[in-house]
Amino acid sequence: MLSLKLAWRNLVGAGLRTWLNVIVLAFVLFMMIWHYGLLDGWNQQANKDMQAWEVGNGQYWHQNYDPYDFFTLEESHAKIPEALNKATTDGIITPVLITQGSVYPDGRIQSMLLKGINPDQKVVAIPGTDLNTESEEIPVVIGRRMAKNCKLQEGDITTIRWRDVNGTFDAAEVKVVKVFNCNVPSVDAGQMYIHIKKVQEMMQAPDEATMFIIGEDFEMNETVSGWEYKDFDFLMTEMNEMMKMKKVGGSFMYVILMLLAMLAIFDTQVLSIFRRQKEIGTYIAMGMTRRQVVSLFTVEGAMHAILAVIFIAIFGTPLLIWLMSVGMSMPAGSDDMGIAIAETIYPVYGAGLIIGTSLLVFIITLIVSYLPARKISKMKPTDAIKGKIQ
Amino acid sequence: MEQNSIVTISGLIKRFPIGKGHFTALNGIDLTFSKGQFAGVVGPSGSGKTTLLNIIGSLDNPTEGKANVLGQEIGNLSTKKAALLRRKHLGFIFQTYNLLPVYTVFENVEFPLLLLNMSGSERKKAVMDSLDWVGIADKVKSRPAQLSGGECQRVAIARAMVKKPELVLADEPTANLDSENSHHILQTMENLNKDLQTTFIFATHDDKVIKYLKRKILLEDGKVTADDIITN
């Protein structure tokens, strides 16, 4: 208690020097909380969006299907298996038939994936109902990114080309009946959605699918021969890895910021111990033990962190709450990075994040404050009283 | 130890290492200070006055010999016990005042009482009494930088006296003061010595201080060359 009381008096007495250190430390703390919260918010949103738009609650893949090798698509489709027939009919799972194709917007050629989906499916958020539109051309639905890349709009007609199961090329006119907005680039970029029946017909692969997306109510009771079950965690692996990398990348920034803040604290402490030798000698002459003096200087240093936390609590909390409510707009083009980024990311600042980060900063400040303070215990009080540099 | 004596020094030698050799600051000192004495160790610079005061104040240890202060052998004290001795029984007054610059006058004087864990109300009363003794009660909220040298030294005296110690050690207390302030300070200390029976030991070569002393110990080259009781 004595150390706390005296440390507080000393810090208040030190005036501007104290507040500069506190502000630097508070800035670092705020940046750490803000950035981690942003990544957490992004992570949560990306998970939610990817589940809603792409991965559902898991998937069944044809045994030959490899999303990273388009050449496997020719051999990675098969009849809808008996075991999944009922669930498919009930709409608990939804089949997707995928093939490679090309689109010719304004005479240009662009590769894409043709995905056959059930227009009435409710498993993922891709809006398929428009695929039921009556039209001379084949009705297709595309995402915003695809529309942008191909310079297509709703109502536009263009040509697509594909190969059927026998390897024969064919082409047809398609009409864009819907351009949807989605935060998940892998659902949108370079992809065109067509009624699954139409794709089966185009590919001459009736009742076939490449994969199934599983909905909420599906209960997996048996393994399905020729099909591999991929659970949600597996399908999110890449996203999670990417987030980890983002956090690691962000950590370098924190380390640099922390180093700057700790350097300020360390510098203040070292300077204090040299400049305040007479004061240290006076403390000892008046009956403080060396341990008490070391403790006083350590608490003084560590109190910068406590003041920084209080500073953040007073000035940072309203700002964090405001950021949580309005979110942070991502710059145009940031979604081209290939990972799910919403137009506005809403950061998530949990108690664990705030307490954990504050504790981390406090402990590091405590250590950095203690290291130079140890020197006091080696000081000769008779020299310290006179302020002689030792 | 003589009856009524609070400091007994016998065969005290203090050497400081210098390069490969050493410098003898005190060479065979034998002294006794009784309770209530207003004594001074006088002598030229480098004669060992401050070293002697530092040893009596348990801030330093003898190389040889014994220094018994208030029944405790200085050479055998751990740093913690030495700190406790200073905290409870000793007061220090320094040439350069050594006030804590960021504290107010009140906080400076209060400091020794904080170390003694006194309650807030007791502390306040003791601090105000002490500031009254030295006549500076109107400056409680000032900081040392706002005070004159004489006022600073009066605050230092109040700080040394606030816990009513048995022994006050004053190292060149008037060296930075003008004549008028020096007399004022010394009169204050003389009064405190009379009123509270506090023992004062000065280290000084200032004639203004010497005039007030009741006992004058002359130290030259680390040896006591004269020890006179002065009767007015």
Side-chain angles (χ1 to χ4, degrees):
Chain A
M1 273 310 285
L2 181 67
S3 292
L4 282 176
K5 191 171 189 169
L6 297 178
W8 173 248
R9 276 187 186 177
N10 290 346
L11 285 180
V12 171
L16 190 63
R17 192 156 37 103
T18 300
W19 296 116
L20 280 175
N21 281 333
V22 168
I23 288 167
V24 169
L25 209 55
F27 174 72
V28 172
L29 189 59
F30 180 81
M31 287 301 287
M32 287 174 82
I33 294 171
W34 171 75
H35 196 233
Y36 267 119
L38 193 67
L39 287 179
D40 280 347
W42 178 4
N43 199 9
Q44 282 186 20
Q45 250 175 288
N47 268 279
K48 215 171 104 188
D49 286 347
M50 283 186 74
Q51 181 168 29
W53 284 86
E54 188 179 19
V55 301
N57 287 309
Q59 293 177 351
Y60 275 107
W61 288 1
H62 184 271
Q63 60 189 2
N64 295 333
Y65 176 57
D66 178 356
Y68 299 109
D69 184 358
F70 292 152
F71 295 109
T72 62
L73 286 173
E74 283 178 23
E75 288 140 18
S76 55
H77 50 86
K79 293 269 183 204
I80 294 172
E82 196 65 36
L84 300 177
N85 235 337
K86 187 173 183 315
T88 307
T89 313
D90 293 346
I92 300 169
I93 66 172
T94 188
V96 182
L97 180 60
I98 308 170
T99 188
Q100 254 192 305
S102 308
V103 59
Y104 295 85
D106 292 332
R108 290 178 294 119
I109 183 169
Q110 198 155 331
S111 294
M112 60 159 182
L113 285 178
L114 271 174
K115 285 188 172 177
I117 58 164
N118 182 348
D120 304 316
Q121 62 82 25
K122 303 281 183 225
V123 175
V124 284
I126 299 163
T129 46
D130 293 288
L131 296 174
N132 290 322
T133 311
E134 291 290 331
S135 164
E136 261 183 51
E137 298 82 14
I138 301 168
V140 296
V141 166
I142 56 173
R144 177 173 50 85
R145 292 173 189 81
M146 178 72 172
K148 187 180 159 195
N149 288 344
C150 298
K151 295 189 171 59
L152 289 171
Q153 294 173 7
E154 283 181 10
D156 282 357
I157 294 168
T158 186
T159 307
I160 62 166
R161 192 181 71 151
W162 71 95
R163 285 201 325 178
D164 65 18
V165 288
N166 302 311
T168 310
F169 282 103
D170 203 349
E173 297 276 286
V174 295
K175 184 178 183 183
V176 179
V177 291
K178 171 86 177 170
V179 175
F180 64 86
N181 208 356
C182 168
N183 294 327
V184 186
S186 52
V187 169
D188 172 352
Q191 300 185 39
M192 192 172 268
Y193 293 88
I194 304 179
H195 196 307
I196 189 165
K197 292 286 180 200
K198 190 69 195 171
V199 178
Q200 287 167 347
E201 189 185 303
M202 287 155 66
M203 285 179 68
Q204 296 186 19
D207 297 326
E208 291 197 9
T210 307
M211 59 182 280
F212 294 86
I213 305 171
I214 297 169
E216 275 179 19
D217 304 321
F218 181 73
E219 282 179 27
M220 198 184 67
N221 298 321
E222 52 184 324
T223 53
V224 184
S225 172
W227 297 81
E228 287 171 8
Y229 174 70
K230 306 288 178 189
D231 66 11
F232 178 75
D233 290 338
F234 171 83
L235 296 167
M236 292 302 294
T237 308
E238 273 177 60
M239 180 71 203
N240 292 335
E241 286 297 320
M242 221 175 282
M243 278 299 159
K244 270 186 201 162
M245 289 302 293
K246 283 264 164 215
K247 283 195 172 179
V248 170
S251 301
F252 284 111
M253 191 179 76
Y254 310 145
V255 169
I256 292 167
L257 283 171
M258 278 292 281
L259 277 175
L260 284 174
M262 292 305 126
L263 198 67
I265 301 287
F266 190 82
D267 191 45
T268 305
Q269 288 291 97
V270 173
L271 211 67
S272 288
I273 288 155
F274 278 102
R275 277 179 37 173
R276 293 165 63 187
Q277 282 195 66
K278 204 183 246 191
E279 192 181 323
I280 292 166
T282 309
Y283 287 139
I284 293 172
M286 282 193 284
M288 275 181 96
T289 60
R290 285 165 196 247
R291 184 179 284 188
Q292 278 180 309
V293 182
V294 171
S295 146
L296 171 64
F297 275 71
T298 308
V299 171
E300 247 183 75
M303 223 176 226
H304 286 105
I306 295 170
L307 289 175
V309 171
I310 295 169
F311 192 89
I312 291 292
I314 295 170
F315 298 105
T317 308
L319 192 59
L320 292 176
I321 291 170
W322 179 73
L323 281 171
M324 276 171 83
S325 62
V326 300
M328 192 180 158
S329 299
M330 297 308 286
S334 56
D335 55 356
D336 292 339
M337 288 198 299
I339 50 174
I341 305 178
E343 283 172 359
T344 304
I345 291 181
Y346 294 91
V348 177
Y349 301 111
L353 172 69
I354 294 169
I355 294 168
T357 314
S358 303
L359 265 178
L360 177 77
V361 170
F362 176 74
I363 290 167
I364 294 174
T365 313
L366 195 70
I367 294 167
V368 168
S369 304
Y370 173 69
L371 291 176
R374 282 182 314 169
K375 195 175 163 59
I376 293 168
S377 61
K378 291 173 188 157
M379 270 185 187
K380 285 175 72 180
T382 48
D383 288 342
I385 287 167
K386 291 174 186 164
K388 283 184 184 172
I389 301 289
Q390 293 174 53
Chain B
M1 195 160 67
E2 283 175 34
Q3 208 172 11
N4 210 25
S5 70
I6 60 169
V7 177
T8 308
I9 295 165
S10 58
L12 179 68
I13 295 173
K14 180 66 186 180
R15 294 190 195 98
F16 293 105
I18 295 179
K20 288 179 183 172
H22 60 260
F23 165 72
T24 305
L26 296 173
N27 194 359
I29 305 286
D30 295 297
L31 282 172
T32 300
F33 293 94
S34 303
K35 184 170 169 58
Q37 273 193 337
F38 202 72
V41 182
V42 301
S45 292
S47 58
K49 305 184 296 289
T50 301
T51 305
L52 180 61
L53 243 62
N54 283 340
I55 292 172
I56 294 171
S58 73
L59 291 168
D60 208 348
N61 285 321
T63 311
E64 285 176 35
K66 288 184 175 179
N68 189 301
V69 178
L70 295 158
Q72 303 204 52
E73 202 61 57
I74 297 298
N76 298 337
L77 288 180
S78 64
T79 52
K80 192 177 177 185
K81 281 189 175 168
L84 285 174
L85 173 71
R86 290 192 295 272
R87 187 184 302 176
K88 288 181 181 168
H89 305 290
L90 306 185
F92 288 87
I93 299 168
F94 303 100
Q95 178 182 340
T96 50
Y97 328 127
N98 286 45
L99 298 179
L100 302 169
V102 297
Y103 289 7
T104 61
V105 165
F106 184 93
E107 288 165 344
N108 263 287
V109 179
E110 185 192 25
F111 190 88
L113 305 180
L114 284 171
L115 296 179
L116 292 172
N117 285 325
M118 278 174 74
S119 70
S121 56
E122 282 178 308
R123 285 202 308 268
K124 192 174 177 186
K125 187 180 179 309
V127 171
M128 292 316 293
D129 286 348
S130 191
L131 289 172
D132 274 337
W133 292 333
V134 297
I136 200 167
D138 56 328
K139 303 269 185 183
V140 281
K141 287 181 181 166
S142 304
R143 291 187 193 274
Q146 298 166 310
L147 302 177
S148 68
E151 286 171 330
C152 281
Q153 197 59 296
R154 276 192 272 168
V155 176
I157 294 169
R159 184 178 65 184
M161 294 303 301
V162 71
K163 62 187 174 193
K164 296 182 182 159
E166 278 97 325
L167 176 62
V168 171
L169 301 167
D171 190 3
E172 306 279 9
T174 55
N176 286 346
L177 301 179
D178 59 31
S179 178
E180 194 186 329
N181 267 312
S182 296
H183 285 298
H184 193 97
I185 293 291
L186 285 160
Q187 275 165 7
T188 306
M189 288 197 268
E190 197 177 41
N191 292 338
L192 290 167
N193 169 250
K194 279 179 193 161
D195 296 346
L196 304 172
Q197 278 297 294
T198 306
T199 307
F200 279 79
I201 303 176
F202 293 85
T204 186
H205 59 266
D206 185 349
D207 288 337
K208 296 189 292 290
V209 180
I210 295 168
K211 275 187 208 164
Y212 281 83
L213 298 177
K214 303 288 182 291
R215 180 184 174 192
K216 189 172 83 176
I217 299 154
L218 185 62
L219 204 62
E220 287 176 317
D221 296 328
K223 289 180 180 173
V224 176
T225 53
D227 187 352
D228 303 318
I229 302 292
I230 298 150
T231 48
N232 293 331

